């Protein structure tokens, strides 16, 4: 058991991580399992920046996701800004000079965490699990769980999304996540998938909040906006 962090405020602390998707995607004729790099605000649980790559991530998607998180003008924002602290693991792709120099220039404190210790960045780890159960499980080519066992890997691969369409789905889900008031706590498994595919968040932030989008968006395809 681990202690609970004290309440904080918007942009007080962010967490960042990579997650490899549990579905097969068609990237220029090759079936790959893409990676997502994202930043999340631990106080508001808003995803501030996202980048999607077909191969193993490097410092480039980290910088792309960081730029999407910091810049708040269109097509980015409104979530994001400049955090006080960023919690990340000690992977070589998170701590190269290109990334640490940019964070130092903004006055951001980097809290590099021990390897193989997910509990110090529990918010982004929860986001990874929610994405798997709510987004990846609803898409063709999913390779985990009973549905994939019935279909088989080959059957799931035949209907795999293109990498561009998958990126659009990730951005649409990110928009929905940032619109819903808080997402995975009361949803799990099949019910979570049904709610997402039908476009019904748990509740909206305000009566004037726009409804979530469940289809592909015409915005960026490689590094997405923060909301």
């Amino acid at each position: 058991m681990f202690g609970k962090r004290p309440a904080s405020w918007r942009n007080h602390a962010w967490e960042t991580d990579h997650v490899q998707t549990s579905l097969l995607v068609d990237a220029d004729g090759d079936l790959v399992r893409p990676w997502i790099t994202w930043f999340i605000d631990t106080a508001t649980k808003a995803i501030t920046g996202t980048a999607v790559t077909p191969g193993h991530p490097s410092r480039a998607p980290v910088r792309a996701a960081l730029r999407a998180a910091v810049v708040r003008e269109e097509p980015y924002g409104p979530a994001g800004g400049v955090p006080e602290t960023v919690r990340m693991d000690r992977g070589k792709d998170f701590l190269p000079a290109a990334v640490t120099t940019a964070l130092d220039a903004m006055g951001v404190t980097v809290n590099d965490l021990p390897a193989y210790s997910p509990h110090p960045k529990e918010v982004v780890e929860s986001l990874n699990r929610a994405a798997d159960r709510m987004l990846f499980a609803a898409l063709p080519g999913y390779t985990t769980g009973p549905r994939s066992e019935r279909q088989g890997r080959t059957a799931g691969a035949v209907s795999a999304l293109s990498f561009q369409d998958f990126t659009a789905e990730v951005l649409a889900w990110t928009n929905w996540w940032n619109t819903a008031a808080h997402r995975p706590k009361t949803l799990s498994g099949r019910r979570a998938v049904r709610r997402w595919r039908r476009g019904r968040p748990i509740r909206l932030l305000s009566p004037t909040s726009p409804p979530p989008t469940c289809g592909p968006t015409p915005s960026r395809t490689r590094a997405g906006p923060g909301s």
Side-chain angles (χ1 to χ4, degrees):
M1 296 180 65
F2 300 94
K4 189 175 181 180
R5 295 185 188 274
S8 62
W9 51 92
R10 178 177 173 270
N11 290 340
H12 170 62
W14 290 359
E15 293 177 1
T16 182
D17 198 12
H18 305 302
V19 60
Q20 187 176 24
T21 62
S22 51
L23 71 160
L24 295 171
V25 169
D26 182 1
D28 298 327
D30 295 327
L31 290 175
V32 299
R33 291 175 59 197
W35 289 77
I36 303 175
T37 304
W38 38 32
F39 288 80
I40 184 169
D41 188 331
T42 60
T44 64
K45 308 301 187 294
I47 300 171
T48 53
T50 309
V52 185
T53 52
H56 197 281
S58 61
R59 64 183 180 181
V62 176
R63 294 178 64 185
L66 178 61
R67 183 178 187 276
V70 170
V71 177
R72 298 182 64 193
E73 290 79 16
E74 291 291 339
Y76 306 106
V82 178
E84 298 178 29
T85 304
V86 174
R87 292 194 284 265
M88 60 180 67
D89 60 33
R90 295 177 183 172
K92 61 181 181 180
D93 42 348
F94 282 112
L95 295 175
V99 175
T100 55
T101 301
L103 292 171
D104 289 342
M106 294 185 289
V108 179
T109 301
V110 176
N111 187 357
D112 55 320
L113 305 170
Y116 308 107
S117 301
H119 56 275
K121 49 184 178 71
E122 69 281 353
V123 176
V124 74
E125 295 291 348
S126 297
L127 174 62
N128 292 340
R129 290 190 295 270
D132 181 74
R133 125 180 129 243
M134 299 172 73
L135 173 61
F136 307 152
L139 297 176
Y142 188 59
T143 59
T144 304
R147 185 167 69 93
S148 66
E149 292 174 5
R150 290 196 303 269
Q151 291 178 334
R153 285 179 176 266
T154 305
V158 169
S159 58
L161 292 172
S162 69
F163 177 69
Q164 290 74 18
D165 288 343
F166 170 72
T167 304
E169 289 281 357
V170 172
L171 300 186
W173 185 78
T174 301
N175 291 339
W176 174 82
W177 176 278
N178 287 344
T179 302
H182 188 0
R183 303 93 188 159
K185 273 193 174 180
T186 59
L187 292 181
S188 62
R190 294 178 181 176
R191 184 164 171 258
V193 173
R194 288 198 299 268
R195 280 287 183 94
W196 153 240
R197 298 310 294 176
R198 291 173 184 171
R200 297 176 183 174
I202 302 168
R203 62 184 186 277
L204 298 179
L205 289 171
S206 68
T208 58
S209 298
T213 350
C214 290
T217 58
S219 55
R220 305 173 66 88
T221 58
R222 299 279 170 168
S227 69

